[in-house]
Amino acid sequence: MNKRVYFLMIVAFVVGMVELIIGGLLDLMAADLGVSLGQVGFLITIFSLIFAVGAPLLLILTSNIERKRLTLISLVIFLLGNIVTVFSPTYTIVFIGRIISALSGSLLIILCLTIAPSIVHPKYRGRAIGIVSMGVSASIVLGIPVGLLLGNAFGWRSPFVLISVLTVFSIAGVFLLMERIDPKPSSPIKKQLATLKGRRIFFGQAITFLFIAGHTVLYAYLTPFVKTTMEVDGTWVSVIYMIFGIAAVSGGGVGGTLSDKLGPERTIMLTIVLFTLVIFSIPYTTFALPAFIMILVIWGMLSWTLAPATQSYLINLSPESSDIQQSLNNSALHLGIAFGSLVGGLVIERASIEQNATVGGFFALLSIGAALVSMYRKQGTEAVRSKS
């Protein structure tokens, strides 16, 4: 295994931290910038939306640029976006900084995922993609607790200072460690979207979108949720996020193991049914911190148990377009984060933070429906084939 793959994982981790890191800084940013919690939450929405839509488009537009050079350019722009955020005096400037970071960050993640398999022996390609993906998933679940710890200690701008410093090291690492990599043609957007015409694939991708949307409705606003419902201080909020992060990272391994042993379909159904029960039950555990932490661990594990099983399921559905399905599933995930954070912000503005878990549970129910439609059609098709 080429050790540079682990460096790409680190780059992916640094870039991925920016997406949800604001979730732990909501109240601090709202107070400093003079805006509501929902408006700060919208900074997550716009970032994730741009991340989901921008990645495939930018990859096509930059398909003729040498990969090392493109990575360096993207990292410099990503650094600029974070610097803008650090020194922003108003909400509007922060918004602009997020757009810059999202556009460059979305391209950087895709570059890491495509460069990694190209610099290793063919038999290690799957493992190389998995290592980089681990950096992405770890950044998403650990970004909030890191931001919360730094934010409470040094102010909400400090996490972005850390990311800026790490980005500078990443630029130096790419410049010194990475070799020239020739560009490869990417699949046109039309070809990628054409694969969604199959109902099984469309609803298979919808599982991820709806599941992550339901999760993010609460997770993006977990800080105000626990402060409001349990009246805990910043230290305990940090502990809660750290526990969740550890459970979520372990959930990826659990999901991969279950997928191998039970099969992707059974793992998907088991995960989303349990997740739905858990998220609906969360409001009823806030009467005691130990009870809440117990359900938090289960929620954290289930939140990332789905990903390996869903990816395996989509690959099995369409082996000939497996690369495209991975790209689309990544977009579905970030669209889910964008939509979930938007809905969560609206719930806070129009109703109460205490309702976020229930609203998230309804989206989880819809993910069960999407899974049933996708898998039921598969079984029906197989039955027809067996009769013929």
Side-chain angles (χ1 to χ4, degrees):
M1 175 67 71
N2 192 320
K3 293 182 179 179
R4 287 175 295 175
V5 171
Y6 295 99
F7 174 71
L8 290 172
M9 179 190 73
I10 294 172
V11 173
F13 177 82
V14 172
V15 173
M17 282 180 64
V18 179
E19 183 166 13
L20 287 177
I21 201 168
I22 284 179
L25 308 169
L26 287 172
D27 50 349
L28 298 175
M29 294 183 68
D32 184 54
L33 298 172
V35 295
S36 66
L37 290 175
Q39 285 177 288
V40 179
F42 186 66
L43 295 174
I44 301 174
T45 302
I46 192 64
F47 187 100
S48 300
L49 185 62
I50 292 173
F51 212 98
V53 177
L57 290 174
L58 288 172
L59 196 62
I60 292 172
L61 293 173
T62 59
S63 60
N64 295 325
I65 302 177
E66 189 269 321
R67 303 289 95 172
K68 177 180 177 179
R69 180 185 177 192
L70 181 60
T71 303
L72 286 170
I73 293 172
S74 301
L75 279 168
V76 171
I77 297 174
F78 182 74
L79 174 62
L80 175 63
N82 283 286
I83 291 175
V84 168
T85 302
V86 169
F87 293 101
S88 54
T90 64
Y91 176 84
T92 301
I93 303 301
V94 174
F95 191 88
I96 294 172
R98 293 288 285 178
I99 292 176
I100 296 171
S101 297
L103 286 170
S104 52
S106 65
L107 182 56
L108 281 166
I109 294 294
I110 296 299
L111 284 172
C112 289
L113 288 169
T114 54
I115 289 174
S118 71
I119 61 176
V120 298
H121 190 279
K123 68 178 181 179
Y124 293 125
R125 285 176 180 169
R127 191 180 304 178
I129 294 173
I131 289 172
V132 175
S133 298
M134 186 170 64
V136 177
S137 61
S139 70
I140 291 176
V141 298
L142 295 177
I144 289 183
V146 170
L148 187 62
L149 287 169
L150 290 174
N152 284 329
F154 306 106
W156 71 263
R157 300 173 195 270
S158 58
F160 296 98
V161 173
L162 173 63
I163 293 172
S164 298
V165 172
L166 293 175
T167 303
V168 171
F169 283 114
S170 298
I171 292 171
V174 170
F175 182 78
L176 296 173
L177 301 177
M178 300 301 296
E179 298 176 355
R180 177 184 171 85
I181 301 171
D182 293 329
K184 293 182 179 180
S186 57
S187 300
I189 289 293
K190 187 176 181 180
K191 180 181 178 182
Q192 295 185 36
L193 295 179
T195 63
L196 294 176
K197 291 181 179 179
R199 186 176 298 179
R200 285 178 292 168
I201 291 177
F202 177 82
F203 282 98
Q205 296 285 7
I207 295 170
T208 295
F209 170 76
L210 293 167
F211 181 90
I212 294 297
H215 165 69
T216 310
V217 167
L218 177 59
Y219 184 67
Y221 301 93
L222 187 57
T223 297
F225 178 81
V226 296
K227 285 186 174 181
T228 300
T229 58
M230 292 186 287
E231 298 181 351
V232 296
D233 59 20
T235 301
W236 267 110
V237 174
S238 301
V239 172
I240 287 170
Y241 272 115
M242 195 59 66
I243 292 172
F244 184 97
I246 294 171
V249 171
S250 66
V254 172
T257 301
L258 288 177
S259 183
D260 289 340
K261 292 186 176 181
L262 301 180
E265 292 89 346
R266 290 181 180 178
T267 302
I268 289 171
M269 290 304 303
L270 178 64
T271 299
I272 57 181
V273 168
L274 289 176
F275 179 85
T276 302
L277 294 173
V278 166
I279 198 166
F280 272 124
S281 69
I282 287 174
Y284 303 99
T285 65
T286 56
F287 68 93
L289 187 59
F292 177 77
I293 289 178
M294 286 179 62
I295 205 72
L296 180 81
V297 171
I298 302 172
W299 174 30
M301 289 186 64
L302 291 173
S303 67
W304 284 97
T305 299
L306 184 71
T310 305
Q311 290 168 1
S312 296
Y313 175 64
L314 291 168
I315 291 172
N316 291 340
L317 281 181
S318 183
E320 68 282 358
S321 65
S322 59
D323 290 345
I324 293 175
Q325 297 312 316
Q326 296 299 308
S327 175
L328 290 175
N329 195 243
N330 181 66
S331 292
L333 184 147
H334 291 287
L335 282 173
I337 293 174
F339 186 70
S341 60
L342 175 61
V343 171
L346 290 175
V347 173
I348 292 176
E349 297 287 342
R350 306 286 177 85
S352 166
I353 184 65
E354 297 177 5
Q355 302 299 318
N356 282 50
T358 302
V359 174
F362 283 114
F363 283 105
L365 279 175
L366 291 176
S367 73
I368 295 176
L372 289 172
V373 172
S374 180
M375 294 175 192
Y376 174 79
R377 184 174 175 81
K378 179 182 180 183
Q379 293 170 353
T381 303
E382 289 176 347
V384 172
R385 287 177 179 173
S386 64
K387 288 179 182 180
S388 60

